Amino acid sequence: MKDLQKTFWIHLLLYTPNIPLELKFKNGSIIAGYEVVGSSNTSELLSGIEQAAKKAKTGLHQLFPLEDNSFRVFGKAQCNSIVFGFGSKNDKYTLPCSSGYSGSITARCQSSGWHVLRETCVLSELEELKKDFSVIASNATEATVSSLVQNLSMVIQENPSTTAGNLASVVSILGNISSLSLERHFNVSISTMENVINISDHVLNSASVTNWTVLLQKEKNAGSQLLESLENISVLVPSTALPLEFSREFINWKGIPASSNQSNLGYNYQTEMFPENTSIPIRGHALIRSDQFQKPLPETIISMTSLTLGNILPVTKNGNAQVNGPVISMVIPNYSINEIFLTFSKIESNLSQPHCVFWDFNHSQWNDNGCHLVNETPDSVTCRCTHLTSFSMLMSPSVPPAIVPVVKWITFVGLGVSIGSLLLCLTIEALFWKQVNKSQTSHTRHICMVNIALCLLIADIWFIVAATVDTTANPSGVCTAAVFFTHFFYLSLFFWMLMLGFLLAYRVILVFHHMATPLLVAVGFCLGYGCPLIISIITIVVTQPSNGYERKDVCWLNWSDGSKPLLALAGPALTIVAVNLVVVLLVLTRLWRPAVGERLTQDSKATVVRMGRSLLVLTPLLGLTWGFGIGTMVDSRNLAWHVIFASLNASQGFFILCFGMLLDSKLRQLLLNKLSPLSFWNQASKQNSSDSSVKPRFKKTFNPFQHERKYVLSYTGESSNDIMLTQFSSSE
């Protein structure tokens, strides 16, 4: 080894006399364990090294049996630090910890530099404390446990630097202390609780987040264990030692004895903390109303808040979300409540889509069961939960906040246009009801159209009522009524669309079968209103007793809880959309190629064509467009689904007016005659009559259309587009 080092020195100094070099060998490594430091700039230094390396390699080959790739020059080191030295990409080093620590630290060279993979550096004093606990565990007393906590606090204060190994040791010691104290029913004194808070403030320092990241790679439940230990130790503080409050930079702790004040005034907990490098406070507020405290009252109420706990409790439910507020812990030993309101300040105001969650210790993840969003402002979020534990909010950076007002604007503008259009539709139908209902097909079709327009109109009105209800200020009955009627009339809309699809299928398949008109009407009303009523009543009867019928943040069917009553709308709606799609495909097939041996009269065939083409427009607008709801349910964070869904379905009434009314040539002609019976349209009518007289000559002129069964339209004297629209939407 010494000869090899001497040879390196001789050859490098010999072949590079103008560049002062220094060799550094790493222990146990000869191949890549040296570093070259020169006074020249980088490019000149690398050029000199390459020249020297070639001559040195030749000289080494003469002295030692080197392998072909055993002597390489990598150029500038990709990773370089005081601790790990230099390295190339994917190099992995394991080094012992510095003096006073036990364990080791492993790092890998990546494009951004050295990345710590594993670190177990633990202070020798902490190792001694862990051994001490093992010794006293069998015959521990309150005094010995208190002394151990005090010693732990002193060790932490005397050694402020934090390592992942130290964090793991502190979490382990606090966990053992809390388990032992709960098992032995020890009381926790004021001084012990203060020491615990001081220790927690140290390990929750924002500067320790990087060390927590390293620790959580190995022990993913370390943050959950720390929070659980803090809650368990807190409940052991006797009521006689309270009220008590400790406010530190990274954690706030408050405990009070419960009294008759809670029965009269409830419980209010408010705190504010300041993130690093900012003067804007982050506030937390918890409210338990007086009606939640029934005798006998609890002994104590414990509250805790931390800004950094959210960074060490991993988000496993949705990797795209993050904790965007303080973590508030509420503990009332041996007592249960049914409702608590929590308000969180937003740490980052540019995040959106808040989710109210609690920390589920059983599964070590955030959970939203029993927690609902009540209100959101640009700076805060208010939640309502039906149990006590540690709460926070998850928010996603994937949706820009500016999009939400856009979607609302599309929805309400579309609803306004839709309601106006539907009122006009019903007015037109009322004015010309007798004139357009002169056959069974036309009569049943217009009955479907009227009920579709009526159901959608009432559903839109109830939707607006539900959107304006303040769930926190108004009685719950208003919200429940709005949800029920919105649910019922939207279902009726879909079932009347289903009736329209059945009517078309009936006319296409059973061409020569005639069902009595009263029977068709009876089937329509049973299907259009009976089925939705049954579904709506069953839904509210099953889910309302458990408070799972409507959401707590807005007036609409719930989706969060286990019963998921929103399926009572989504299921039938999507099923009807699928059925109508099949009907449309059937109509297209029959129109494209009639069945063998099928002989339709020209008039019947024209009727089917007119109805079929009408439904081809009505079905996408009144039914198939709701299929985009699948996208909003499956991929709720994709803005395209929400914009398309809101744009198409909020304006349904407008499409009904256009394609169901105004494109019907008979209704259009009646309407125009009604508006101007003596002027322009009388002249147009005379012109049409005149043009009709020349129709035979028109047929003879266009020879290609004289073939049998090819020419099915009569000339009206209008453009080709008008001919197409006439055959598209005219009714008998």
Side-chain angles (χ1 to χ4, degrees), residues 207-228:
S208 303
V209 172
T210 303
N211 301 104
W212 276 105
T213 303
V214 175
L215 174 60
L216 293 173
Q217 293 176 359
K218 177 186 176 184
E219 302 178 22
K220 63 178 182 179
N221 295 330
S224 180
Q225 293 170 6
L226 174 63
L227 177 59
E228 188 173 16

mmCIF file of all heavy atoms in Angstrom, residues 207-228:
data_model
loop_
_atom_site.group_PDB
_atom_site.id
_atom_site.type_symbol
_atom_site.label_atom_id
_atom_site.label_comp_id
_atom_site.label_asym_id
_atom_site.label_seq_id
_atom_site.Cartn_x
_atom_site.Cartn_y
_atom_site.Cartn_z
ATOM 1 N N ALA A 207 -37.118 22.669 11.868
ATOM 2 C CA ALA A 207 -35.798 22.322 11.349
ATOM 3 C C ALA A 207 -35.555 20.818 11.362
ATOM 4 O O ALA A 207 -34.601 20.336 10.744
ATOM 5 C CB ALA A 207 -34.716 23.031 12.164
ATOM 6 N N SER A 208 -36.403 20.067 12.088
ATOM 7 C CA SER A 208 -36.227 18.614 12.187
ATOM 8 C C SER A 208 -37.027 17.844 11.153
ATOM 9 O O SER A 208 -37.000 16.602 11.156
ATOM 10 C CB SER A 208 -36.652 18.142 13.594
ATOM 11 O OG SER A 208 -35.926 18.820 14.598
ATOM 12 N N VAL A 209 -37.760 18.548 10.275
ATOM 13 C CA VAL A 209 -38.619 17.861 9.311
ATOM 14 C C VAL A 209 -37.803 16.946 8.402
ATOM 15 O O VAL A 209 -38.229 15.828 8.069
ATOM 16 C CB VAL A 209 -39.416 18.892 8.484
ATOM 17 C CG1 VAL A 209 -40.161 18.202 7.344
ATOM 18 C CG2 VAL A 209 -40.403 19.637 9.375
ATOM 19 N N THR A 210 -36.601 17.396 8.002
ATOM 20 C CA THR A 210 -35.762 16.562 7.142
ATOM 21 C C THR A 210 -35.387 15.268 7.843
ATOM 22 O O THR A 210 -35.398 14.183 7.234
ATOM 23 C CB THR A 210 -34.485 17.323 6.738
ATOM 24 O OG1 THR A 210 -34.855 18.541 6.089
ATOM 25 C CG2 THR A 210 -33.637 16.480 5.801
ATOM 26 N N ASN A 211 -35.051 15.356 9.138
ATOM 27 C CA ASN A 211 -34.728 14.148 9.894
ATOM 28 C C ASN A 211 -35.942 13.243 10.054
ATOM 29 O O ASN A 211 -35.821 12.005 10.030
ATOM 30 C CB ASN A 211 -34.167 14.530 11.269
ATOM 31 C CG ASN A 211 -32.925 15.396 11.188
ATOM 32 O OD1 ASN A 211 -32.974 16.604 11.406
ATOM 33 N ND2 ASN A 211 -31.794 14.797 10.842
ATOM 34 N N TRP A 212 -37.117 13.849 10.216
ATOM 35 C CA TRP A 212 -38.342 13.049 10.278
ATOM 36 C C TRP A 212 -38.560 12.303 8.960
ATOM 37 O O TRP A 212 -39.014 11.145 8.952
ATOM 38 C CB TRP A 212 -39.552 13.936 10.569
ATOM 39 C CG TRP A 212 -39.767 14.215 12.031
ATOM 40 C CD1 TRP A 212 -39.505 15.370 12.698
ATOM 41 C CD2 TRP A 212 -40.296 13.306 13.000
ATOM 42 N NE1 TRP A 212 -39.838 15.253 14.022
ATOM 43 C CE2 TRP A 212 -40.335 13.988 14.236
ATOM 44 C CE3 TRP A 212 -40.754 12.003 12.956
ATOM 45 C CZ2 TRP A 212 -40.806 13.403 15.405
ATOM 46 C CZ3 TRP A 212 -41.221 11.404 14.112
ATOM 47 C CH2 TRP A 212 -41.243 12.090 15.327
ATOM 48 N N THR A 213 -38.250 12.932 7.851
ATOM 49 C CA THR A 213 -38.414 12.283 6.548
ATOM 50 C C THR A 213 -37.558 11.039 6.446
ATOM 51 O O THR A 213 -38.001 9.992 5.950
ATOM 52 C CB THR A 213 -38.046 13.263 5.417
ATOM 53 O OG1 THR A 213 -38.863 14.439 5.522
ATOM 54 C CG2 THR A 213 -38.263 12.623 4.058
ATOM 55 N N VAL A 214 -36.312 11.133 6.941
ATOM 56 C CA VAL A 214 -35.420 9.972 6.936
ATOM 57 C C VAL A 214 -35.963 8.884 7.864
ATOM 58 O O VAL A 214 -35.988 7.698 7.513
ATOM 59 C CB VAL A 214 -34.004 10.391 7.370
ATOM 60 C CG1 VAL A 214 -33.101 9.169 7.491
ATOM 61 C CG2 VAL A 214 -33.417 11.393 6.369
ATOM 62 N N LEU A 215 -36.446 9.290 9.044
ATOM 63 C CA LEU A 215 -36.963 8.318 10.005
ATOM 64 C C LEU A 215 -38.203 7.613 9.476
ATOM 65 O O LEU A 215 -38.354 6.388 9.633
ATOM 66 C CB LEU A 215 -37.276 9.024 11.322
ATOM 67 C CG LEU A 215 -37.970 8.173 12.409
ATOM 68 C CD1 LEU A 215 -37.100 6.982 12.794
ATOM 69 C CD2 LEU A 215 -38.291 9.028 13.623
ATOM 70 N N LEU A 216 -39.110 8.362 8.831
ATOM 71 C CA LEU A 216 -40.368 7.778 8.360
ATOM 72 C C LEU A 216 -40.163 6.781 7.228
ATOM 73 O O LEU A 216 -41.034 5.948 6.960
ATOM 74 C CB LEU A 216 -41.317 8.891 7.910
ATOM 75 C CG LEU A 216 -41.837 9.815 9.023
ATOM 76 C CD1 LEU A 216 -42.623 10.971 8.436
ATOM 77 C CD2 LEU A 216 -42.702 9.028 10.004
ATOM 78 N N GLN A 217 -39.002 6.845 6.551
ATOM 79 C CA GLN A 217 -38.709 5.835 5.545
ATOM 80 C C GLN A 217 -38.510 4.468 6.177
ATOM 81 O O GLN A 217 -38.826 3.441 5.572
ATOM 82 C CB GLN A 217 -37.457 6.234 4.757
ATOM 83 C CG GLN A 217 -37.643 7.475 3.897
ATOM 84 C CD GLN A 217 -36.349 7.887 3.202
ATOM 85 O OE1 GLN A 217 -35.306 7.262 3.380
ATOM 86 N NE2 GLN A 217 -36.417 8.960 2.410
ATOM 87 N N LYS A 218 -38.029 4.469 7.396
ATOM 88 C CA LYS A 218 -37.791 3.217 8.105
ATOM 89 C C LYS A 218 -38.941 2.881 9.046
ATOM 90 O O LYS A 218 -39.387 1.726 9.116
ATOM 91 C CB LYS A 218 -36.483 3.322 8.904
ATOM 92 C CG LYS A 218 -36.166 2.092 9.746
ATOM 93 C CD LYS A 218 -34.949 2.324 10.605
ATOM 94 C CE LYS A 218 -34.685 1.131 11.521
ATOM 95 N NZ LYS A 218 -33.538 1.388 12.441
ATOM 96 N N GLU A 219 -39.436 3.869 9.777
ATOM 97 C CA GLU A 219 -40.530 3.671 10.734
ATOM 98 C C GLU A 219 -41.662 4.624 10.355
ATOM 99 O O GLU A 219 -41.728 5.747 10.837
ATOM 100 C CB GLU A 219 -40.047 3.927 12.161
ATOM 101 C CG GLU A 219 -38.887 3.039 12.583
ATOM 102 C CD GLU A 219 -38.400 3.364 13.994
ATOM 103 O OE1 GLU A 219 -39.184 3.937 14.775
ATOM 104 O OE2 GLU A 219 -37.244 3.049 14.297
ATOM 105 N N LYS A 220 -42.558 4.161 9.476
ATOM 106 C CA LYS A 220 -43.590 5.047 8.927
ATOM 107 C C LYS A 220 -44.629 5.468 9.958
ATOM 108 O O LYS A 220 -45.352 6.439 9.740
ATOM 109 C CB LYS A 220 -44.279 4.361 7.748
ATOM 110 C CG LYS A 220 -45.029 3.082 8.122
ATOM 111 C CD LYS A 220 -45.715 2.483 6.905
ATOM 112 C CE LYS A 220 -46.499 1.232 7.274
ATOM 113 N NZ LYS A 220 -47.201 0.660 6.096
ATOM 114 N N ASN A 221 -44.722 4.758 11.078
ATOM 115 C CA ASN A 221 -45.712 5.099 12.096
ATOM 116 C C ASN A 221 -45.131 5.910 13.251
ATOM 117 O O ASN A 221 -45.782 6.074 14.284
ATOM 118 C CB ASN A 221 -46.364 3.821 12.646
ATOM 119 C CG ASN A 221 -47.176 3.082 11.594
ATOM 120 O OD1 ASN A 221 -47.721 3.699 10.684
ATOM 121 N ND2 ASN A 221 -47.238 1.771 11.704
ATOM 122 N N ALA A 222 -43.901 6.426 13.084
ATOM 123 C CA ALA A 222 -43.257 7.141 14.195
ATOM 124 C C ALA A 222 -44.052 8.394 14.573
ATOM 125 O O ALA A 222 -44.227 8.695 15.760
ATOM 126 C CB ALA A 222 -41.821 7.515 13.808
ATOM 127 N N GLY A 223 -44.553 9.154 13.576
ATOM 128 C CA GLY A 223 -45.342 10.350 13.882
ATOM 129 C C GLY A 223 -46.628 10.012 14.588
ATOM 130 O O GLY A 223 -47.042 10.708 15.533
ATOM 131 N N SER A 224 -47.288 8.947 14.152
ATOM 132 C CA SER A 224 -48.529 8.514 14.802
ATOM 133 C C SER A 224 -48.264 8.074 16.242
ATOM 134 O O SER A 224 -49.056 8.358 17.154
ATOM 135 C CB SER A 224 -49.156 7.368 14.004
ATOM 136 O OG SER A 224 -50.346 6.926 14.604
ATOM 137 N N GLN A 225 -47.148 7.398 16.468
ATOM 138 C CA GLN A 225 -46.799 6.963 17.823
ATOM 139 C C GLN A 225 -46.544 8.156 18.738
ATOM 140 O O GLN A 225 -46.943 8.145 19.909
ATOM 141 C CB GLN A 225 -45.569 6.055 17.768
ATOM 142 C CG GLN A 225 -45.810 4.725 17.081
ATOM 143 C CD GLN A 225 -44.532 3.951 16.839
ATOM 144 O OE1 GLN A 225 -43.455 4.357 17.281
ATOM 145 N NE2 GLN A 225 -44.638 2.840 16.125
ATOM 146 N N LEU A 226 -45.896 9.201 18.215
ATOM 147 C CA LEU A 226 -45.642 10.390 19.029
ATOM 148 C C LEU A 226 -46.960 11.054 19.425
ATOM 149 O O LEU A 226 -47.159 11.407 20.599
ATOM 150 C CB LEU A 226 -44.770 11.378 18.250
ATOM 151 C CG LEU A 226 -44.548 12.739 18.921
ATOM 152 C CD1 LEU A 226 -43.788 12.569 20.236
ATOM 153 C CD2 LEU A 226 -43.814 13.693 17.986
ATOM 154 N N LEU A 227 -47.879 11.237 18.467
ATOM 155 C CA LEU A 227 -49.164 11.868 18.771
ATOM 156 C C LEU A 227 -49.964 11.045 19.775
ATOM 157 O O LEU A 227 -50.557 11.594 20.722
ATOM 158 C CB LEU A 227 -49.960 12.042 17.474
ATOM 159 C CG LEU A 227 -51.364 12.634 17.610
ATOM 160 C CD1 LEU A 227 -51.329 14.004 18.255
ATOM 161 C CD2 LEU A 227 -52.042 12.705 16.242
ATOM 162 N N GLU A 228 -49.979 9.748 19.597
ATOM 163 C CA GLU A 228 -50.721 8.883 20.522
ATOM 164 C C GLU A 228 -50.130 8.942 21.926
ATOM 165 O O GLU A 228 -50.858 8.968 22.927
ATOM 166 C CB GLU A 228 -50.722 7.448 20.000
ATOM 167 C CG GLU A 228 -51.624 6.510 20.792
ATOM 168 C CD GLU A 228 -51.740 5.151 20.149
ATOM 169 O OE1 GLU A 228 -50.895 4.820 19.276
ATOM 170 O OE2 GLU A 228 -52.677 4.409 20.492
#
